Amino acid sequence: RKEVEQDPGPFNVPEGATVAFNCTYSNSASQSFFWYRQDCRKEPKLLMSVYSSGNEDGRFTAQLNRASQYISLLIRDSKLSDSATYLCVVNLGGKLIFGQGTTLQVKP
Amino acid sequence: EAGVVQSPRYKIIEKKQPVAFWCNPISGHNTLYWYLQNLGQGPELLIRYENEEAVDDSQLPKDRFSAERLKGVDSTLKIQPAELGDSAVYLCASSLSFTYNEQFFGPGTRLTVL
């Protein structure tokens, strides 16, 4: 079993749609959680951290459920520029463990 | 502020040849990471340096891979000899420290082994 699991997609959605990505992690000792964004043939960049209380950054909302070991990312009002791969990441003892990523394609 | 610099950006070699990748982290970042990313997968950590000390190299295939960060600044990752399965993107990242700080990635070196 992979330490961080994501549905690879692709998710194909129209502009303006709301889309949600889910992620599960296997190690309950994981300490902190993130979503990274990776554009095609580019490096990953931090999108947002994920907190137990849930957090929002503009159109993006992240949620963490430690009991279920489940992380989510919600994107509202999708833009063409949101097309990318979204990587779920957990920090375990200072080591970042990445999921395989979920690909989002937003279409006009 | 300059980001993480990597070179070369692309490298094509024949199997059994050696290859080296170079990384210069963001100034002041003590922690440096080398990752390997295969197509359709997330990055996987190969080695982490705290200044010049390799503190986590458990995922580095030491029979053919080696790395160094002699002065605690820039770093080199070497493969000798390269195998077909080593074709991947090699990413370097840095952070201020290893505890919870954001990691900044370089653009990567795309290696193709023929």
Side-chain angles (χ1 to χ4, degrees), chain B residues 55-66:
Chain B
V55 294
D56 182 357
D57 63 356
S58 56
Q59 300 297 107
L60 190 72
K62 298 181 185 62
D63 57 335
R64 297 184 300 108
F65 286 64
S66 63

Side-chain angles (χ1 to χ4, degrees), chain A:
Chain A
R1 183 185 172 189
K2 291 183 180 178
E3 292 187 79
V4 179
E5 296 208 51
Q6 295 182 252
D7 179 348
F11 285 59
N12 294 300
V13 303
E15 273 188 290
T18 295
V19 61
F21 305 139
N22 303 318
C23 164
T24 57
Y25 60 96
S26 60
N27 195 322
S28 60
S30 298
Q31 295 152 299
S32 53
F33 309 88
F34 311 92
W35 285 100
Y36 273 68
R37 170 188 169 136
Q38 186 170 26
D39 292 302
C40 188
R41 301 181 80 86
K42 299 286 188 181
E43 70 273 21
K45 293 184 179 179
L46 179 65
L47 178 66
M48 59 196 300
S49 300
V50 188
Y51 304 113
S52 297
S53 54
N55 49 298
E56 192 173 300
D57 183 1
R59 298 180 293 108
F60 298 82
T61 301
Q63 295 275 359
L64 167 65
N65 184 323
R66 282 188 183 271
S68 302
Q69 297 180 196
Y70 171 95
I71 305 163
S72 66
L73 177 68
L74 183 76
I75 305 176
R76 291 181 300 278
D77 189 22
S78 298
K79 311 291 185 191
L80 294 176
S81 58
D82 293 334
S83 297
T85 295
Y86 292 83
L87 297 160
C88 177
V89 186
V90 306
N91 181 328
L92 182 61
K95 178 179 174 179
L96 291 190
I97 302 171
F98 289 76
Q100 72 174 103
T102 298
T103 298
L104 172 65
Q105 185 67 45
V106 181
K107 301 205 180 286

Side-chain angles (χ1 to χ4, degrees), chain B residues 15 31 43 66 77 96:
Chain B
K15 63 181 180 181
T31 309
S66 63
L77 178 69
L96 280 171

Side-chain angles (χ1 to χ4, degrees), chain B residues 20-54:
Chain B
F21 314 125
W22 178 81
C23 172
N24 194 34
I26 293 173
S27 178
H29 282 195
N30 296 322
T31 309
L32 183 147
Y33 312 79
W34 282 103
Y35 288 89
L36 176 153
Q37 186 172 25
N38 286 304
L39 188 64
Q41 302 297 317
E44 298 173 38
L45 181 69
L46 289 172
I47 189 168
R48 171 169 64 92
Y49 281 92
E50 295 293 334
N51 298 302
E52 66 275 10
E53 184 181 357

